[in-house]
PDB file of all heavy atoms in Angstrom:
ATOM      1  N   VAL A  41      82.189  77.218 141.343  1.00  0.00           N
ATOM      2  CA  VAL A  41      80.938  76.495 141.076  1.00  0.00           C
ATOM      3  C   VAL A  41      80.215  76.327 142.414  1.00  0.00           C
ATOM      4  O   VAL A  41      80.678  75.596 143.291  1.00  0.00           O
ATOM      5  CB  VAL A  41      81.232  75.130 140.410  1.00  0.00           C
ATOM      6  CG1 VAL A  41      79.945  74.424 140.021  1.00  0.00           C
ATOM      7  CG2 VAL A  41      82.139  75.315 139.195  1.00  0.00           C
ATOM      8  N   LYS A  42      79.069  77.014 142.551  1.00  0.00           N
ATOM      9  CA  LYS A  42      78.421  77.089 143.871  1.00  0.00           C
ATOM     10  C   LYS A  42      76.907  76.949 143.783  1.00  0.00           C
ATOM     11  O   LYS A  42      76.319  77.319 142.766  1.00  0.00           O
ATOM     12  CB  LYS A  42      78.666  78.473 144.488  1.00  0.00           C
ATOM     13  CG  LYS A  42      80.080  78.833 144.738  1.00  0.00           C
ATOM     14  CD  LYS A  42      80.123  80.266 145.280  1.00  0.00           C
ATOM     15  CE  LYS A  42      81.537  80.785 145.246  1.00  0.00           C
ATOM     16  NZ  LYS A  42      81.622  82.212 145.181  1.00  0.00           N
ATOM     17  N   GLY A  43      76.312  76.501 144.887  1.00  0.00           N
ATOM     18  CA  GLY A  43      74.858  76.544 145.045  1.00  0.00           C
ATOM     19  C   GLY A  43      74.135  75.551 144.165  1.00  0.00           C
ATOM     20  O   GLY A  43      74.569  74.408 143.983  1.00  0.00           O
ATOM     21  N   ASN A  44      72.995  75.990 143.614  1.00  0.00           N
ATOM     22  CA  ASN A  44      72.224  75.152 142.693  1.00  0.00           C
ATOM     23  C   ASN A  44      72.876  75.267 141.320  1.00  0.00           C
ATOM     24  O   ASN A  44      72.903  76.338 140.720  1.00  0.00           O
ATOM     25  CB  ASN A  44      70.782  75.635 142.589  1.00  0.00           C
ATOM     26  CG  ASN A  44      70.005  75.375 143.855  1.00  0.00           C
ATOM     27  OD1 ASN A  44      70.378  74.525 144.665  1.00  0.00           O
ATOM     28  ND2 ASN A  44      68.923  76.103 144.047  1.00  0.00           N
ATOM     29  N   VAL A  45      73.410  74.154 140.840  1.00  0.00           N
ATOM     30  CA  VAL A  45      74.237  74.170 139.625  1.00  0.00           C
ATOM     31  C   VAL A  45      73.528  73.442 138.485  1.00  0.00           C
ATOM     32  O   VAL A  45      72.966  72.367 138.682  1.00  0.00           O
ATOM     33  CB  VAL A  45      75.589  73.476 139.907  1.00  0.00           C
ATOM     34  CG1 VAL A  45      76.438  73.379 138.642  1.00  0.00           C
ATOM     35  CG2 VAL A  45      76.344  74.223 140.992  1.00  0.00           C
ATOM     36  N   LEU A  46      73.565  74.059 137.302  1.00  0.00           N
ATOM     37  CA  LEU A  46      73.042  73.409 136.091  1.00  0.00           C
ATOM     38  C   LEU A  46      74.204  73.010 135.192  1.00  0.00           C
ATOM     39  O   LEU A  46      75.067  73.829 134.884  1.00  0.00           O
ATOM     40  CB  LEU A  46      72.119  74.376 135.327  1.00  0.00           C
ATOM     41  CG  LEU A  46      71.630  73.866 133.964  1.00  0.00           C
ATOM     42  CD1 LEU A  46      70.764  72.620 134.108  1.00  0.00           C
ATOM     43  CD2 LEU A  46      70.853  74.956 133.215  1.00  0.00           C
ATOM     44  N   ASP A  47      74.201  71.732 134.764  1.00  0.00           N
ATOM     45  CA  ASP A  47      75.157  71.232 133.769  1.00  0.00           C
ATOM     46  C   ASP A  47      74.347  70.889 132.519  1.00  0.00           C
ATOM     47  O   ASP A  47      73.791  69.800 132.404  1.00  0.00           O
ATOM     48  CB  ASP A  47      75.873  69.999 134.332  1.00  0.00           C
ATOM     49  CG  ASP A  47      76.894  69.418 133.351  1.00  0.00           C
ATOM     50  OD1 ASP A  47      76.953  69.862 132.181  1.00  0.00           O
ATOM     51  OD2 ASP A  47      77.622  68.491 133.747  1.00  0.00           O
ATOM     52  N   PRO A  48      74.236  71.839 131.566  1.00  0.00           N
ATOM     53  CA  PRO A  48      73.445  71.580 130.355  1.00  0.00           C
ATOM     54  C   PRO A  48      74.265  70.804 129.320  1.00  0.00           C
ATOM     55  O   PRO A  48      75.419  71.135 129.094  1.00  0.00           O
ATOM     56  CB  PRO A  48      73.137  73.002 129.843  1.00  0.00           C
ATOM     57  CG  PRO A  48      74.229  73.868 130.397  1.00  0.00           C
ATOM     58  CD  PRO A  48      74.830  73.188 131.594  1.00  0.00           C
ATOM     59  N   GLY A  49      73.667  69.769 128.713  1.00  0.00           N
ATOM     60  CA  GLY A  49      74.428  68.937 127.771  1.00  0.00           C
ATOM     61  C   GLY A  49      75.506  68.189 128.526  1.00  0.00           C
ATOM     62  O   GLY A  49      76.680  68.213 128.182  1.00  0.00           O
ATOM     63  N   CYS A  50      75.080  67.485 129.587  1.00  0.00           N
ATOM     64  CA  CYS A  50      76.019  66.923 130.577  1.00  0.00           C
ATOM     65  C   CYS A  50      76.774  65.702 130.094  1.00  0.00           C
ATOM     66  O   CYS A  50      77.710  65.249 130.764  1.00  0.00           O
ATOM     67  CB  CYS A  50      75.254  66.557 131.852  1.00  0.00           C
ATOM     68  SG  CYS A  50      73.979  65.288 131.580  1.00  0.00           S
ATOM     69  N   GLY A  51      76.363  65.131 128.928  1.00  0.00           N
ATOM     70  CA  GLY A  51      77.042  63.926 128.454  1.00  0.00           C
ATOM     71  C   GLY A  51      76.941  62.813 129.486  1.00  0.00           C
ATOM     72  O   GLY A  51      75.889  62.602 130.097  1.00  0.00           O
ATOM     73  N   THR A  52      78.046  62.122 129.721  1.00  0.00           N
ATOM     74  CA  THR A  52      78.017  60.967 130.625  1.00  0.00           C
ATOM     75  C   THR A  52      78.271  61.358 132.087  1.00  0.00           C
ATOM     76  O   THR A  52      78.549  60.494 132.909  1.00  0.00           O
ATOM     77  CB  THR A  52      79.022  59.894 130.156  1.00  0.00           C
ATOM     78  OG1 THR A  52      80.292  60.510 129.979  1.00  0.00           O
ATOM     79  CG2 THR A  52      78.579  59.269 128.839  1.00  0.00           C
ATOM     80  N   GLY A  53      78.194  62.652 132.383  1.00  0.00           N
ATOM     81  CA  GLY A  53      78.042  63.078 133.771  1.00  0.00           C
ATOM     82  C   GLY A  53      79.296  63.391 134.574  1.00  0.00           C
ATOM     83  O   GLY A  53      79.194  63.716 135.761  1.00  0.00           O
ATOM     84  N   TRP A  54      80.495  63.344 133.943  1.00  0.00           N
ATOM     85  CA  TRP A  54      81.721  63.487 134.751  1.00  0.00           C
ATOM     86  C   TRP A  54      81.818  64.851 135.424  1.00  0.00           C
ATOM     87  O   TRP A  54      82.336  64.958 136.539  1.00  0.00           O
ATOM     88  CB  TRP A  54      82.963  63.211 133.886  1.00  0.00           C
ATOM     89  CG  TRP A  54      82.942  61.824 133.337  1.00  0.00           C
ATOM     90  CD1 TRP A  54      82.782  61.450 132.032  1.00  0.00           C
ATOM     91  CD2 TRP A  54      83.021  60.601 134.084  1.00  0.00           C
ATOM     92  NE1 TRP A  54      82.761  60.081 131.925  1.00  0.00           N
ATOM     93  CE2 TRP A  54      82.907  59.544 133.171  1.00  0.00           C
ATOM     94  CE3 TRP A  54      83.165  60.300 135.442  1.00  0.00           C
ATOM     95  CZ2 TRP A  54      82.935  58.206 133.553  1.00  0.00           C
ATOM     96  CZ3 TRP A  54      83.191  58.968 135.837  1.00  0.00           C
ATOM     97  CH2 TRP A  54      83.087  57.950 134.899  1.00  0.00           C
ATOM     98  N   HIS A  55      81.331  65.894 134.760  1.00  0.00           N
ATOM     99  CA  HIS A  55      81.423  67.235 135.361  1.00  0.00           C
ATOM    100  C   HIS A  55      80.384  67.384 136.474  1.00  0.00           C
ATOM    101  O   HIS A  55      80.692  67.903 137.549  1.00  0.00           O
ATOM    102  CB  HIS A  55      81.231  68.310 134.285  1.00  0.00           C
ATOM    103  CG  HIS A  55      82.276  68.225 133.209  1.00  0.00           C
ATOM    104  ND1 HIS A  55      82.099  68.715 131.951  1.00  0.00           N
ATOM    105  CD2 HIS A  55      83.512  67.664 133.235  1.00  0.00           C
ATOM    106  CE1 HIS A  55      83.197  68.476 131.238  1.00  0.00           C
ATOM    107  NE2 HIS A  55      84.057  67.831 131.995  1.00  0.00           N
ATOM    108  N   ALA A  56      79.173  66.908 136.212  1.00  0.00           N
ATOM    109  CA  ALA A  56      78.112  66.980 137.232  1.00  0.00           C
ATOM    110  C   ALA A  56      78.558  66.255 138.502  1.00  0.00           C
ATOM    111  O   ALA A  56      78.310  66.727 139.626  1.00  0.00           O
ATOM    112  CB  ALA A  56      76.832  66.359 136.671  1.00  0.00           C
ATOM    113  N   ILE A  57      79.225  65.145 138.333  1.00  0.00           N
ATOM    114  CA  ILE A  57      79.718  64.367 139.487  1.00  0.00           C
ATOM    115  C   ILE A  57      80.728  65.203 140.281  1.00  0.00           C
ATOM    116  O   ILE A  57      80.708  65.239 141.511  1.00  0.00           O
ATOM    117  CB  ILE A  57      80.327  63.025 138.998  1.00  0.00           C
ATOM    118  CG1 ILE A  57      79.212  62.113 138.481  1.00  0.00           C
ATOM    119  CG2 ILE A  57      81.154  62.344 140.097  1.00  0.00           C
ATOM    120  CD1 ILE A  57      79.689  60.883 137.726  1.00  0.00           C
ATOM    121  N   GLU A  58      81.586  65.900 139.554  1.00  0.00           N
ATOM    122  CA  GLU A  58      82.599  66.761 140.197  1.00  0.00           C
ATOM    123  C   GLU A  58      81.926  67.879 141.017  1.00  0.00           C
ATOM    124  O   GLU A  58      82.344  68.183 142.130  1.00  0.00           O
ATOM    125  CB  GLU A  58      83.482  67.346 139.104  1.00  0.00           C
ATOM    126  CG  GLU A  58      84.813  67.868 139.556  1.00  0.00           C
ATOM    127  CD  GLU A  58      85.764  66.807 140.092  1.00  0.00           C
ATOM    128  OE1 GLU A  58      85.510  65.595 139.917  1.00  0.00           O
ATOM    129  OE2 GLU A  58      86.744  67.203 140.732  1.00  0.00           O
TER     130      GLU A  58
END
Side-chain angles (χ1 to χ4, degrees):
V41 185
K42 299 177 193 155
N44 290 339
V45 176
L46 174 63
D47 180 352
C50 62
T52 52
W54 299 112
H55 300 157
I57 290 169
E58 199 66 12

